[in-house]
Amino acid sequence: MKRIIALTIVLIYSVITFAQSNGSTGIKGMNIGVGVPIEFRDLKAAGTNIHLGFDCSYPVNDNFALGFYISAKGGFLGSFKPYNKYDKFYSMFGFSAGLLMEFGELNNQPFILGLCPGAGLGFLDMDLVLPMEFRFGRAFSNNWYVLGGLAYNVSLAKETLSLEPSIHIGYNFGHKKP
C-alpha cells in the first residue's frame, strides 16, 4: 500500500511539473532491452528476457527531471541440471514500474537513474516474484539514450531467487528546448 501511495504522489508531481515546464520536456520515450536472468536457489538456471518499456520525466529545474517508467519483460530459462527430460525450460515474465530521474544539464546528455522498489509483479516458473530494480544510464544524443539495469527478483514463497543484469536502448520522442 505504501508503494502505491508513493507512486501516486510521484505521478501527480510529474503532471504538475509538466504543467510548469515552460515548453521544455524531459524523456518521453520507448526502450527495448535484453536481460540475462540467473536463478540460483531452486532451479539453478539461466536464460534470456526481452524487455519493452516506456520512460517519462518532466523537468523540475534546469538540472533535474523526475518521472516514472513502466516495463514488461518475458523470456525463458534453461536448467543447468534438469530434474528430468521434461523439466528443462522455465518461462519467466513480469511487469514493473518505478521512479525515473535525470541529473545534469537536461539539454546536454543528462545522466538517468531509475528505481523500482518492488512495484510490479512477475512469474518465474509460476512462482510469484517482486522486482527490485536499479537502472542507470545516459543520453548520448537528444533522442537516444542507453540504460544498464540490475533486477533482483524476490519470491514471495521463498522458493526462487533470481538476479538479472540487462541493457536497454531507448528513443526519446519528446522535443527538447534548444
Side-chain angles (χ1 to χ4, degrees):
M1 185 67 174
K2 291 178 185 178
R3 283 180 250 157
I4 293 172
I5 292 170
L7 285 175
T8 304
I9 289 170
V10 168
L11 290 175
I12 290 170
Y13 184 74
S14 298
V15 171
I16 291 169
T17 56
F18 175 69
Q20 299 173 348
S21 67
N22 297 333
S24 66
T25 60
I27 292 178
K28 285 187 189 69
M30 298 288 291
N31 70 62
I32 188 164
V34 175
V36 180
I38 303 166
E39 201 287 325
F40 46 87
R41 180 177 282 172
D42 180 39
L43 303 174
K44 309 276 192 297
T48 186
N49 274 339
I50 301 296
H51 296 252
L52 184 62
F54 174 72
D55 304 316
C56 185
S57 69
Y58 302 105
V60 175
N61 58 35
D62 290 338
N63 295 320
F64 181 70
L66 180 64
F68 64 94
Y69 73 89
I70 53 175
S71 181
K73 64 182 175 182
F76 71 95
L77 283 88
S79 179
F80 296 130
K81 294 181 181 177
Y83 297 122
N84 57 42
K85 67 180 182 176
Y86 303 109
D87 205 16
K88 292 181 185 178
F89 296 103
Y90 307 99
S91 61
M92 181 177 189
F93 62 93
F95 302 96
S96 61
L99 304 175
L100 186 73
M101 296 169 269
E102 288 183 89
F103 298 97
E105 191 176 333
L106 296 181
N107 293 326
N108 188 18
Q109 301 173 354
F111 292 97
I112 303 167
L113 177 69
L115 298 169
C116 172
L121 63 95
F123 290 97
L124 173 57
D125 191 34
M126 298 316 292
D127 185 19
L128 183 65
V129 294
L130 294 179
M132 305 282 194
E133 290 181 349
F134 175 71
R135 293 185 181 185
F136 50 91
R138 186 155 192 200
F140 56 88
S141 75
N142 273 347
N143 291 42
W144 292 96
Y145 57 97
V146 64
L147 297 168
L150 186 62
Y152 178 71
N153 296 308
V154 180
S155 170
L156 294 179
K158 299 185 180 3
E159 289 180 7
T160 60
L161 188 65
S162 68
L163 191 65
E164 180 183 0
S166 62
I167 188 160
H168 307 261
I169 301 291
Y171 185 79
N172 183 8
F173 294 102
H175 299 287
K176 297 194 177 196
K177 188 167 68 172

